[in-house]
Amino acid sequence: MEPLDYLAQERSMASFDVEEMKVVWAGSRHAYELSDRCSRLVASDPVFRKDNRTMLSRKELFKDTLRKTAHAVKRTVELNLSEEESLTLWSYVDQPAYANLHWGMFIPAIEGQGTEEQKQKWLPMAYKMQIIGCYAQTELGHGSNVQGLETTATFDPETDEFVIHSPTLTSSKWWPGGLGKVSTHAVVYARLITNGQDHGVQGFIVQLRSLDDHSPLPGITVGDIGMKFGSGAYNSMDNGVLRFDHVRIPRNQMLMRVSQVTREGKYVQSDVPRQLLYGTMVSVRQIIVSESSIALSRAVCIATRYSAVRRQFGSQNGGPETQVINYKTQQSRLFPLLASAYAFRFAGEWLQWLYTDVTKRLQANDFSTLPEVHACTAGLKSITTSATADAIEECRKLCGGHGYLSCSGLPELFAVYIPNCTYEGDNIVLLLQVARILMKTVSQLVSGKKPLGTTAYLGRVEHLMQCHCEVQSAEDWLKPSVILEAFEARAARMSVACAKTLSGFSNLEEGFAEISSDLVEAAVAHCQLIIVSKFIEKLQQEIPGKGVKTQLENLCNVYALSLLRKHLGDFVSTGCITPEQGALANEQLRLLYSQVRPNAVALVDAFNHTDHYLGSVLGRYDGNVYQKLYDEAWKSPLNDTDVPDGYHEYIRPFLKQHFHTARL
């Protein structure tokens, strides 16, 4: 008997080619086929089961992670998967693990900061996982302020060694994933000291554990930092604490592409920019932006499918109640999140291109676009992760009470995702970095220096400070040129206003601290402009498939106009638009919701998430929610017995009035 498809009618309403939209979402047909193959490979393998994660103890969960990682490597070898295929497969295993940091940070740090000789020595062992590494930068007392790290690496010319030491409690390395119980090595960031002089933070390769019995080496104190937010979630990762007690390493274990220390202890700075020291973080940030769309798409898929299944109120003459997705209140909360998933996807695609381009340039010793990549990865990482974290929680609320159940998949998804707002740079700190670049760009306009890249619009600042939005009707808000100019004018005017305020301070740093909240808002406006512009650029490309481009245009307009509605105060107070034009934007937004509504389920189907990957009873492809919710309830360990443990000690005495002090 074929399973019931409770969402079949929803899918029949789609006015676009869903298969072609899947290709657009994936980025290419090759990427679509790869992800489809790997996701189904994982879903069909019982070792990768994850529906019991929230019921496992911490030790059981961690061992389960070790087992899955080993099995993923085993399958990679058996199937002779390429690096691209193996990374895709692991992404669908969907469980934070030490391998993420080994491949995503330890290896890239050596690749980016090591000399050719160092790469030849360390990378072959790392690729074969003969050593397992992590990235030890953050300290107990220092996170985003990398220059404030306290761990020291003092050169001893007599032995040609560095002495790695944790001089204070707050200098303890804290949070590195994979450090707690697995990593044998780490790229450790410490203050380089030679001849009594502090040369700032550098990276060092340090062995932590014996390769024979995995015990910590002398002078190394290392362990797990404990349970984190959520039940399963990120508790599968062994985030660690690490202290050094005068640990000695050979001089050649300092990563020396950017700077070197000679045998005599002389510090030599190369002409390679010091920003390369943080190149690994830049790499990870651009990945985080791409992955934000995935996390958001999962939450939106669950909320959209369940909103189409769930019925509440509105029954006429004993007929069926109204689908929740038909309420405008639900649409106004849900559809902007659906549009955001697509917007972040295309912004992530562009950022990947930008990062690939700068990587090629760096290999040719061209560092000209490095500042642009730093700014874009910092700003977009902040914007997309904050929005995604909020959106996952909003999707939980959109699912009502059932969204609070672990089996909805949303609490687990939220708990796994929210660390993104903090690691690889606190989101507010990152926005302040973007703001500094904006202030520098504005200050250079008077000298005639032409802004490039994502700040190029500031080169037209005179026009943007004077222009008026050409909107006479709601339909005018569907013109990409109108939307783009409104967002450019808002961003330019907010940046110029901050720059003018800063000019009134005799001490620039004091001024920066005083108006930091305004600077953050200016950075947000700039970053939102980038995302809107990249969505519009996507629409200018050739997009195959019946009705696909129309739906993407709808989503682009929903994304832009929902942002305009949310930040209406900025647009009106800076004079970019009038209150009346804001009202017209809201009117057009309501009309767009009506166009998205019949395609909503098909648009989330285009994400091509398997039920295994979603991990949600509410977001099942077939929509058979209530039977599965009922079945899931009986899997609770509390239902193993009808009479609970503790009944005789704590419940029966009340019922039998054996407690003389009992009062009703």
Side-chain angles (χ1 to χ4, degrees), residues 175-222:
W175 277 117
L179 170 64
K181 291 297 174 183
V182 177
S183 294
T184 61
H185 290 68
V187 170
V188 175
Y189 287 86
R191 312 195 69 79
L192 171 62
I193 299 173
T194 64
N195 300 316
Q197 185 176 355
D198 187 333
H199 299 284
V201 175
Q202 304 285 340
F204 301 82
I205 300 175
V206 184
Q207 185 172 348
L208 308 176
R209 292 180 168 94
S210 165
L211 295 178
D212 293 324
D213 62 6
H214 207 61
S215 59
L217 295 181
I220 301 287
T221 300
V222 62

Side-chain angles (χ1 to χ4, degrees), residues 337-389:
L337 305 184
L338 172 58
S340 296
Y342 279 88
F344 294 173
R345 187 67 169 177
F346 302 142
E349 274 183 13
W350 169 77
L351 199 57
Q352 283 180 320
W353 170 85
L354 184 66
Y355 181 75
T356 301
D357 179 69
V358 79
T359 301
K360 291 177 182 177
R361 291 173 181 266
L362 291 176
Q363 291 169 351
N365 289 324
D366 175 1
F367 307 110
S368 60
T369 58
L370 195 55
E372 169 81 346
V373 174
H374 270 283
C376 290
T377 54
L380 293 183
K381 182 270 181 185
S382 176
I383 289 292
T384 57
T385 56
S386 292
T388 298

Side-chain angles (χ1 to χ4, degrees), residues 49-120:
R49 174 192 177 191
K50 64 178 186 178
D51 60 325
N52 63 338
R53 288 200 329 179
T54 58
M55 298 180 188
L56 298 178
S57 69
R58 176 75 197 287
K59 284 188 174 182
E60 290 171 334
L61 181 62
F62 181 63
K63 191 170 183 179
D64 180 62
T65 305
L66 299 182
R67 180 170 65 100
K68 286 177 178 174
T69 303
H71 187 64
V73 173
K74 177 172 176 284
R75 295 299 287 151
T76 296
V77 173
E78 290 173 345
L79 298 171
N80 194 29
L81 300 182
S82 66
E83 181 179 348
E84 181 186 26
E85 289 171 326
S86 62
L87 289 174
T88 305
L89 181 142
W90 179 253
S91 71
Y92 285 109
V93 174
D94 191 36
Q95 192 149 311
Y98 69 88
N100 300 8
L101 285 304
H102 174 77
W103 290 100
M105 298 196 76
F106 178 71
I107 288 176
I110 298 173
E111 289 175 332
Q113 299 166 40
T115 63
E116 288 304 316
E117 183 179 357
Q118 289 174 322
K119 287 189 278 190
Q120 289 172 14

Side-chain angles (χ1 to χ4, degrees), residues 116-136:
E116 288 304 316
E117 183 179 357
Q118 289 174 322
K119 287 189 278 190
Q120 289 172 14
K121 175 181 178 180
W122 294 101
L123 291 179
M125 292 186 289
Y127 289 146
K128 295 177 183 177
M129 297 189 78
Q130 293 171 327
I131 61 173
I132 298 172
C134 65
Y135 188 86

Side-chain angles (χ1 to χ4, degrees), residues 469-483 553-554 557 561 580-592 595:
C469 188
E470 297 182 3
V471 170
Q472 303 297 325
S473 67
E475 278 192 2
D476 287 337
W477 278 116
L478 299 180
K479 299 174 182 176
S481 59
V482 170
I483 289 175
E553 288 172 341
N554 288 339
N557 291 326
L561 295 183
E580 292 75 19
Q581 290 171 329
L584 290 173
N586 196 39
E587 178 185 333
Q588 183 58 59
L589 194 54
R590 288 196 299 271
L591 295 172
L592 286 166
Q595 294 175 46

Side-chain angles (χ1 to χ4, degrees), residues 393-408:
E393 169 62 5
E394 185 69 7
C395 285
R396 184 192 65 78
K397 295 174 184 175
L398 285 164
C399 291
H402 295 334
Y404 194 65
L405 287 167
S406 287
C407 65
S408 76

